[in-house]
Amino acid sequence: MTVVSADAAATPSVEEPRRPGAVAGRLRSLGMFVVSIAAGIAVWQLLAMRYGSALVASPGQTLSAARELAADGTLGNSVIASSRRILIGWGLGLAVGVPVGLLMGQVPIIRRLLDPYIEFFRFIPPVAFVTLAVVWLGIGESSKVVLIFYTAVFIVTLNTIAGVLSVNESKLRAAASLGANRWQIMRNVVLPSTVPHIVTGARLAMGNSFLTIVSAEIVAAQVGLGALIWTSRNYGRIDWVFVGIIVLGILGFVFDRVLRIVAARVLKRYEVKV
């Protein structure tokens, strides 16, 4: 009883000093973030003053344009349309890329059969297929979603394969020697070790999906951030172009941050570090 009470009494004294340090660390991070944003806006303002509003819209002009686009619903509709296309295409790429990557990583003959196709198509940028996507699938949602899927699936597949191939061979042998079958090895050994690679692939695929959505919407969309940027160019509204670009960046930042938070909490037992 004496030992237990001593440990219980000692526990607060060990953990308590860490709390102020953690709070201070978060405040410092927040402060650095605010300083960085303020410095970026200051540089942006200086560039706008140097080159004029015909080339660089100032922060104030961009904010005013954002309010204008938000007031008539253009900005909100564009954000919703682009977000929906990105999430559906990226989600499909994740749903297909993960099992295909696991299968290719585990079964050498399947890897040898599919590897030439993956190595061929992953070097062809999605923008090269924009015209074909429109001809084959029309100007509806399908063409944009398929292009996002094409962007995401190879990145997720390759990262998953890399994760499977990086599993320690001694773990596989130990599981097999204990009588585990292939499915049990996959579920209890391979998949837990591969999860961090899958998360990395998902993040990379998300970033590349934003690159693809602009080109897809420029060619075959009436609504979306890419379409907004292209329409703004036709009307000579540089401030609208800046709004579209900045909203794309903010949207990507938010999506990636949400993905990191969800992965860190849901997949914590797999030692995911993001």
Side-chain angles (χ1 to χ4, degrees), residues 2-13:
T2 305
V3 175
V4 174
S5 61
D7 289 342
T11 300
S13 64

PDB file of all heavy atoms in Angstrom, residues 2-13:
ATOM      1  N   THR A   2       1.982   1.157   0.705  1.00  0.00           N
ATOM      2  CA  THR A   2       2.867   2.332   0.753  1.00  0.00           C
ATOM      3  C   THR A   2       3.436   2.654  -0.615  1.00  0.00           C
ATOM      4  O   THR A   2       3.514   3.798  -1.040  1.00  0.00           O
ATOM      5  CB  THR A   2       4.017   2.082   1.758  1.00  0.00           C
ATOM      6  OG1 THR A   2       3.462   1.728   3.006  1.00  0.00           O
ATOM      7  CG2 THR A   2       4.880   3.310   1.877  1.00  0.00           C
ATOM      8  N   VAL A   3       3.805   1.579  -1.361  1.00  0.00           N
ATOM      9  CA  VAL A   3       4.396   1.788  -2.682  1.00  0.00           C
ATOM     10  C   VAL A   3       3.379   2.378  -3.637  1.00  0.00           C
ATOM     11  O   VAL A   3       3.653   3.298  -4.386  1.00  0.00           O
ATOM     12  CB  VAL A   3       4.945   0.446  -3.236  1.00  0.00           C
ATOM     13  CG1 VAL A   3       5.444   0.625  -4.654  1.00  0.00           C
ATOM     14  CG2 VAL A   3       6.049  -0.074  -2.341  1.00  0.00           C
ATOM     15  N   VAL A   4       2.133   1.832  -3.606  1.00  0.00           N
ATOM     16  CA  VAL A   4       1.094   2.311  -4.505  1.00  0.00           C
ATOM     17  C   VAL A   4       0.777   3.767  -4.242  1.00  0.00           C
ATOM     18  O   VAL A   4       0.675   4.595  -5.141  1.00  0.00           O
ATOM     19  CB  VAL A   4      -0.186   1.458  -4.349  1.00  0.00           C
ATOM     20  CG1 VAL A   4      -1.317   2.052  -5.171  1.00  0.00           C
ATOM     21  CG2 VAL A   4       0.090   0.032  -4.779  1.00  0.00           C
ATOM     22  N   SER A   5       0.639   4.122  -2.973  1.00  0.00           N
ATOM     23  CA  SER A   5       0.318   5.511  -2.645  1.00  0.00           C
ATOM     24  C   SER A   5       1.455   6.432  -3.014  1.00  0.00           C
ATOM     25  O   SER A   5       1.241   7.569  -3.412  1.00  0.00           O
ATOM     26  CB  SER A   5      -0.001   5.627  -1.141  1.00  0.00           C
ATOM     27  OG  SER A   5       1.125   5.231  -0.369  1.00  0.00           O
ATOM     28  N   ALA A   6       2.678   5.950  -2.891  1.00  0.00           N
ATOM     29  CA  ALA A   6       3.822   6.781  -3.269  1.00  0.00           C
ATOM     30  C   ALA A   6       3.826   7.025  -4.767  1.00  0.00           C
ATOM     31  O   ALA A   6       4.084   8.134  -5.241  1.00  0.00           O
ATOM     32  CB  ALA A   6       5.126   6.094  -2.832  1.00  0.00           C
ATOM     33  N   ASP A   7       3.510   5.965  -5.555  1.00  0.00           N
ATOM     34  CA  ASP A   7       3.457   6.138  -7.012  1.00  0.00           C
ATOM     35  C   ASP A   7       2.336   7.078  -7.400  1.00  0.00           C
ATOM     36  O   ASP A   7       2.486   7.918  -8.288  1.00  0.00           O
ATOM     37  CB  ASP A   7       3.223   4.782  -7.689  1.00  0.00           C
ATOM     38  CG  ASP A   7       4.460   3.891  -7.579  1.00  0.00           C
ATOM     39  OD1 ASP A   7       5.537   4.457  -7.315  1.00  0.00           O
ATOM     40  OD2 ASP A   7       4.323   2.657  -7.751  1.00  0.00           O
ATOM     41  N   ALA A   8       1.170   6.898  -6.734  1.00  0.00           N
ATOM     42  CA  ALA A   8       0.039   7.772  -7.058  1.00  0.00           C
ATOM     43  C   ALA A   8       0.350   9.215  -6.727  1.00  0.00           C
ATOM     44  O   ALA A   8      -0.052  10.137  -7.424  1.00  0.00           O
ATOM     45  CB  ALA A   8      -1.199   7.313  -6.276  1.00  0.00           C
ATOM     46  N   ALA A   9       1.094   9.404  -5.623  1.00  0.00           N
ATOM     47  CA  ALA A   9       1.449  10.780  -5.253  1.00  0.00           C
ATOM     48  C   ALA A   9       2.498  11.343  -6.172  1.00  0.00           C
ATOM     49  O   ALA A   9       2.548  12.545  -6.423  1.00  0.00           O
ATOM     50  CB  ALA A   9       1.962  10.792  -3.805  1.00  0.00           C
ATOM     51  N   ALA A  10       3.345  10.449  -6.685  1.00  0.00           N
ATOM     52  CA  ALA A  10       4.426  10.940  -7.548  1.00  0.00           C
ATOM     53  C   ALA A  10       3.943  11.256  -8.949  1.00  0.00           C
ATOM     54  O   ALA A  10       4.531  12.070  -9.644  1.00  0.00           O
ATOM     55  CB  ALA A  10       5.545   9.896  -7.612  1.00  0.00           C
ATOM     56  N   THR A  11       2.855  10.612  -9.391  1.00  0.00           N
ATOM     57  CA  THR A  11       2.395  10.786 -10.764  1.00  0.00           C
ATOM     58  C   THR A  11       2.046  12.231 -11.103  1.00  0.00           C
ATOM     59  O   THR A  11       2.503  12.763 -12.113  1.00  0.00           O
ATOM     60  CB  THR A  11       1.169   9.879 -11.027  1.00  0.00           C
ATOM     61  OG1 THR A  11       1.557   8.528 -10.812  1.00  0.00           O
ATOM     62  CG2 THR A  11       0.667  10.053 -12.447  1.00  0.00           C
ATOM     63  N   PRO A  12       1.271  12.956 -10.290  1.00  0.00           N
ATOM     64  CA  PRO A  12       0.970  14.349 -10.624  1.00  0.00           C
ATOM     65  C   PRO A  12       2.214  15.213 -10.707  1.00  0.00           C
ATOM     66  O   PRO A  12       2.299  16.112 -11.529  1.00  0.00           O
ATOM     67  CB  PRO A  12       0.043  14.802  -9.488  1.00  0.00           C
ATOM     68  CG  PRO A  12      -0.523  13.535  -8.925  1.00  0.00           C
ATOM     69  CD  PRO A  12       0.566  12.532  -9.072  1.00  0.00           C
ATOM     70  N   SER A  13       3.202  14.947  -9.838  1.00  0.00           N
ATOM     71  CA  SER A  13       4.399  15.778  -9.845  1.00  0.00           C
ATOM     72  C   SER A  13       5.192  15.600 -11.121  1.00  0.00           C
ATOM     73  O   SER A  13       5.917  16.489 -11.543  1.00  0.00           O
ATOM     74  CB  SER A  13       5.272  15.442  -8.624  1.00  0.00           C
ATOM     75  OG  SER A  13       5.728  14.089  -8.704  1.00  0.00           O
TER      76      SER A  13
END
